[in-house]
mmCIF file of all heavy atoms in Angstrom:
data_model
loop_
_atom_site.group_PDB
_atom_site.id
_atom_site.type_symbol
_atom_site.label_atom_id
_atom_site.label_comp_id
_atom_site.label_asym_id
_atom_site.label_seq_id
_atom_site.Cartn_x
_atom_site.Cartn_y
_atom_site.Cartn_z
ATOM 1 N N ILE A 236 -74.925 84.195 36.747
ATOM 2 C CA ILE A 236 -75.405 84.892 37.948
ATOM 3 C C ILE A 236 -76.238 86.131 37.583
ATOM 4 O O ILE A 236 -77.391 86.238 38.011
ATOM 5 C CB ILE A 236 -74.231 85.241 38.887
ATOM 6 C CG1 ILE A 236 -73.611 83.940 39.397
ATOM 7 C CG2 ILE A 236 -74.701 86.092 40.050
ATOM 8 C CD1 ILE A 236 -72.333 84.119 40.178
ATOM 9 N N PRO A 237 -75.708 87.053 36.773
ATOM 10 C CA PRO A 237 -76.572 88.196 36.438
ATOM 11 C C PRO A 237 -77.769 87.814 35.577
ATOM 12 O O PRO A 237 -78.824 88.425 35.697
ATOM 13 C CB PRO A 237 -75.644 89.167 35.699
ATOM 14 C CG PRO A 237 -74.397 88.429 35.422
ATOM 15 C CD PRO A 237 -74.364 87.202 36.237
ATOM 16 N N ALA A 238 -77.605 86.790 34.718
ATOM 17 C CA ALA A 238 -78.722 86.415 33.851
ATOM 18 C C ALA A 238 -79.889 85.870 34.673
ATOM 19 O O ALA A 238 -81.053 86.124 34.358
ATOM 20 C CB ALA A 238 -78.268 85.390 32.817
ATOM 21 N N ALA A 239 -79.580 85.132 35.751
ATOM 22 C CA ALA A 239 -80.643 84.552 36.570
ATOM 23 C C ALA A 239 -81.469 85.652 37.234
ATOM 24 O O ALA A 239 -82.673 85.489 37.450
ATOM 25 C CB ALA A 239 -80.042 83.623 37.621
ATOM 26 N N GLY A 240 -80.845 86.772 37.570
ATOM 27 C CA GLY A 240 -81.570 87.840 38.242
ATOM 28 C C GLY A 240 -82.058 88.935 37.293
ATOM 29 O O GLY A 240 -82.639 89.915 37.732
ATOM 30 N N ASP A 241 -81.802 88.765 36.004
ATOM 31 C CA ASP A 241 -82.117 89.819 35.037
ATOM 32 C C ASP A 241 -83.630 90.065 34.967
ATOM 33 O O ASP A 241 -84.422 89.128 34.997
ATOM 34 C CB ASP A 241 -81.598 89.408 33.657
ATOM 35 C CG ASP A 241 -81.827 90.476 32.626
ATOM 36 O OD1 ASP A 241 -81.011 91.412 32.563
ATOM 37 O OD2 ASP A 241 -82.831 90.372 31.889
ATOM 38 N N TYR A 242 -84.035 91.332 34.888
ATOM 39 C CA TYR A 242 -85.466 91.630 34.757
ATOM 40 C C TYR A 242 -85.758 92.513 33.549
ATOM 41 O O TYR A 242 -86.872 92.941 33.343
ATOM 42 C CB TYR A 242 -85.997 92.276 36.037
ATOM 43 C CG TYR A 242 -85.409 93.642 36.328
ATOM 44 C CD1 TYR A 242 -86.049 94.799 35.911
ATOM 45 C CD2 TYR A 242 -84.203 93.752 37.006
ATOM 46 C CE1 TYR A 242 -85.499 96.035 36.164
ATOM 47 C CE2 TYR A 242 -83.646 94.992 37.264
ATOM 48 C CZ TYR A 242 -84.304 96.131 36.837
ATOM 49 O OH TYR A 242 -83.746 97.347 37.087
ATOM 50 N N VAL A 243 -84.731 92.782 32.730
ATOM 51 C CA VAL A 243 -84.944 93.657 31.578
ATOM 52 C C VAL A 243 -85.407 92.854 30.366
ATOM 53 O O VAL A 243 -86.470 93.122 29.800
ATOM 54 C CB VAL A 243 -83.667 94.447 31.245
ATOM 55 C CG1 VAL A 243 -83.825 95.198 29.941
ATOM 56 C CG2 VAL A 243 -83.326 95.381 32.382
ATOM 57 N N ASN A 244 -84.612 91.853 29.971
ATOM 58 C CA ASN A 244 -84.926 91.105 28.757
ATOM 59 C C ASN A 244 -86.314 90.475 28.828
ATOM 60 O O ASN A 244 -87.034 90.454 27.842
ATOM 61 C CB ASN A 244 -83.877 90.011 28.535
ATOM 62 C CG ASN A 244 -82.561 90.596 28.093
ATOM 63 O OD1 ASN A 244 -82.403 90.983 26.954
ATOM 64 N ND2 ASN A 244 -81.621 90.690 29.024
ATOM 65 N N ALA A 245 -86.674 89.948 30.031
ATOM 66 C CA ALA A 245 -87.925 89.199 30.139
ATOM 67 C C ALA A 245 -89.132 90.100 30.376
ATOM 68 O O ALA A 245 -90.258 89.621 30.390
ATOM 69 C CB ALA A 245 -87.799 88.178 31.270
ATOM 70 N N SER A 246 -88.920 91.403 30.570
ATOM 71 C CA SER A 246 -90.052 92.256 30.903
ATOM 72 C C SER A 246 -90.895 92.551 29.670
ATOM 73 O O SER A 246 -90.432 92.433 28.536
ATOM 74 C CB SER A 246 -89.562 93.557 31.545
ATOM 75 O OG SER A 246 -89.227 94.463 30.526
ATOM 76 N N ARG A 247 -92.130 92.943 29.922
ATOM 77 C CA ARG A 247 -93.060 93.184 28.820
ATOM 78 C C ARG A 247 -92.614 94.346 27.938
ATOM 79 O O ARG A 247 -92.889 94.382 26.753
ATOM 80 C CB ARG A 247 -94.451 93.460 29.379
ATOM 81 C CG ARG A 247 -95.328 92.223 29.393
ATOM 82 C CD ARG A 247 -96.651 92.552 30.036
ATOM 83 N NE ARG A 247 -96.446 93.131 31.363
ATOM 84 C CZ ARG A 247 -97.307 93.954 31.947
ATOM 85 N NH1 ARG A 247 -98.371 94.342 31.320
ATOM 86 N NH2 ARG A 247 -97.061 94.412 33.162
ATOM 87 N N GLU A 248 -91.941 95.323 28.547
ATOM 88 C CA GLU A 248 -91.510 96.490 27.761
ATOM 89 C C GLU A 248 -90.399 96.124 26.783
ATOM 90 O O GLU A 248 -90.108 96.870 25.862
ATOM 91 C CB GLU A 248 -90.996 97.611 28.671
ATOM 92 C CG GLU A 248 -92.082 98.392 29.381
ATOM 93 C CD GLU A 248 -92.468 97.730 30.683
ATOM 94 O OE1 GLU A 248 -91.534 97.302 31.410
ATOM 95 O OE2 GLU A 248 -93.666 97.595 30.965
#
Side-chain angles (χ1 to χ4, degrees):
Chain A
I236 295 172
D241 183 82
Y242 66 94
V243 172
N244 288 284
S246 85
R247 264 176 306 154
E248 284 87 43

